Amino acid sequence: MEIGHSGGGHGAATTRPVRSPDETPGTSGASRLRTTVLAYIALTKPRVIELLLVATVPVMLLADRGSVDIGLIAITLVGGWLGAASANTLNMVIDHDIDQKMKRTERRPLARHAVSRLNALIFGLVLGAASFAVLWSFANLLSALLVMATIAFYVLVYTMVLKRRTWQNVVWGGAAGCMPTLVGWAAVTGSISWQPVVLFLIIFFWTPPHTWALAMRYKEDYRAAGVPMLPVIATEVQVARQMVFYTWATVLATLALIAATGWIYAVVAVGAGAWFLRAVHKLLTTTRNGGEIAPLKVFLQSNEYLAIVFCGLAVDSVVHLPTVASLF
């Protein structure tokens, strides 16, 4: 959802042998089982999947404005989670070599050999098949096909092509993290309309400044791994300018949705947008003046911003006040 990279080679990094958790002397069977289960859970990147919740539920509430279908929401989240877990697992299978080179990712299961690549590959494919089955059986075919398209795009286009070859990796690759908006709407309506497209664009424009803020903090990691993230190949001022551009695009996209919502969302979108814009403009001013920047703070604020906007949308949809468009 985590929405969520000229590049290094695909060969495996040279590392000293790492003892599998199962080979640790004196380890009990229960302990080994627990370690293995946790390793498989880590393959799914559970924290990244938080974006799935933020993006999917409000969209479904907007699609069925004034109603709350708990059963459909739950099954869509299960199917969406399985799809996101599949994509994240397959991403780790492909990125196992660069994960070993980056301090931020060196403890991932494949990087520390807690799970074999073959087992992870099978696990990822099974999760993808389960996602399709759940959504097709309990929601509809369109939502299931959209999740399959998301997995294919994230793994084949972003991870295998874009991530190691261009600084625009997160710009276009971020589209995978936007797909829950379309999936959620399709699960409710069986179709696609302009509202989920706008919500797709909100996350699409939000992803670059969000990711680049984190990459500014860990740019040496990306440089060591040969991943040409923008902060690796550009100056801090250039990165901050790009972040300002995409943040403005994000906020304007949130405002485009006001016509289909009530005043609650409108107030939240305007207020949160001003708050987030202030933070990113401050980052640009600080970099221009040569001051000490705090990109991680902007990264965390970007998470809060998106959550606030989508929670505002959820509340607005449930309360079901007259839409702004109906007042004119």
Side-chain angles (χ1 to χ4, degrees), residues 41-282:
I41 292 174
L43 284 173
T44 68
K45 300 181 184 178
R47 292 190 64 184
V48 175
I49 294 178
E50 293 172 4
L51 178 60
L52 174 72
L53 299 174
V54 172
T56 305
V57 176
V59 175
M60 297 183 72
L61 295 174
L62 177 63
D64 200 16
R65 190 171 169 80
S67 300
V68 180
D69 189 336
I70 297 296
L72 182 59
I73 290 175
I75 203 65
T76 304
L77 288 177
V78 170
W81 176 83
L82 289 168
S86 170
N88 290 334
T89 299
L90 296 175
N91 168 266
M92 282 200 196
V93 171
I94 297 167
D95 279 352
H96 74 287
D97 57 330
I98 61 176
D99 282 347
Q100 295 178 67
K101 300 176 183 178
M102 299 173 62
K103 292 180 179 179
R104 188 173 65 86
T105 58
E106 65 183 4
R107 296 302 300 165
R108 286 179 175 175
L110 293 179
R112 57 187 174 87
H113 308 286
V115 179
S116 73
R117 290 184 69 197
L118 177 59
N119 287 348
L121 175 62
I122 295 172
F123 181 59
L125 294 175
V126 169
L127 288 171
S131 172
F132 183 84
V134 167
L135 289 172
W136 190 14
S137 300
F138 300 102
N140 53 53
L141 181 58
L142 179 58
S143 61
L145 290 175
L146 285 171
V147 169
M148 292 300 100
T150 303
I151 296 172
F153 181 85
Y154 185 69
V155 175
L156 302 178
V157 178
Y158 169 69
T159 306
M160 297 186 69
V161 179
L162 296 175
K163 184 173 182 178
R164 308 190 193 207
R165 290 175 173 83
T166 173
W167 68 268
Q168 292 191 350
N169 43 26
V170 298
V171 176
W172 302 107
C178 312
M179 291 298 287
T181 59
L182 303 184
V183 173
W185 189 276
V188 174
T189 68
S191 63
I192 299 297
S193 185
W194 70 269
Q195 296 98 320
V197 173
V198 172
L199 289 160
F200 178 101
L201 291 175
I202 291 172
I203 301 179
F204 180 80
F205 291 131
W206 167 86
T207 300
H210 164 77
T211 308
W212 289 333
L214 184 65
M216 290 177 79
R217 172 66 176 79
Y218 293 103
K219 65 180 179 181
E220 295 306 322
D221 262 6
Y222 287 106
R223 180 177 285 114
V227 178
M229 294 290 283
L230 185 60
V232 174
I233 66 173
T235 66
E236 289 181 341
V237 173
Q238 291 172 326
V239 175
R241 284 175 180 161
Q242 288 289 323
M243 291 174 65
V244 167
F245 171 80
Y246 280 99
T247 301
W248 270 103
T250 302
V251 173
L252 291 176
T254 65
L255 301 183
L257 192 64
I258 288 178
T261 64
W263 66 265
I264 296 175
Y265 171 80
V267 170
V268 170
V270 171
W275 177 64
F276 189 31
L277 280 168
R278 181 177 179 274
V280 179
H281 275 280
K282 182 179 179 181

Side-chain angles (χ1 to χ4, degrees), residues 2 27 29 31 41-42 63 112 123-124 136 219 230 252-253 285 302 306 316 318 321:
E2 198 257 74
T27 302
S31 178
I41 292 174
R112 57 187 174 87
F123 181 59
W136 190 14
K219 65 180 179 181
L230 185 60
L252 291 176
T285 300
S302 70
L306 193 71
D316 186 279
V318 172
L321 296 174

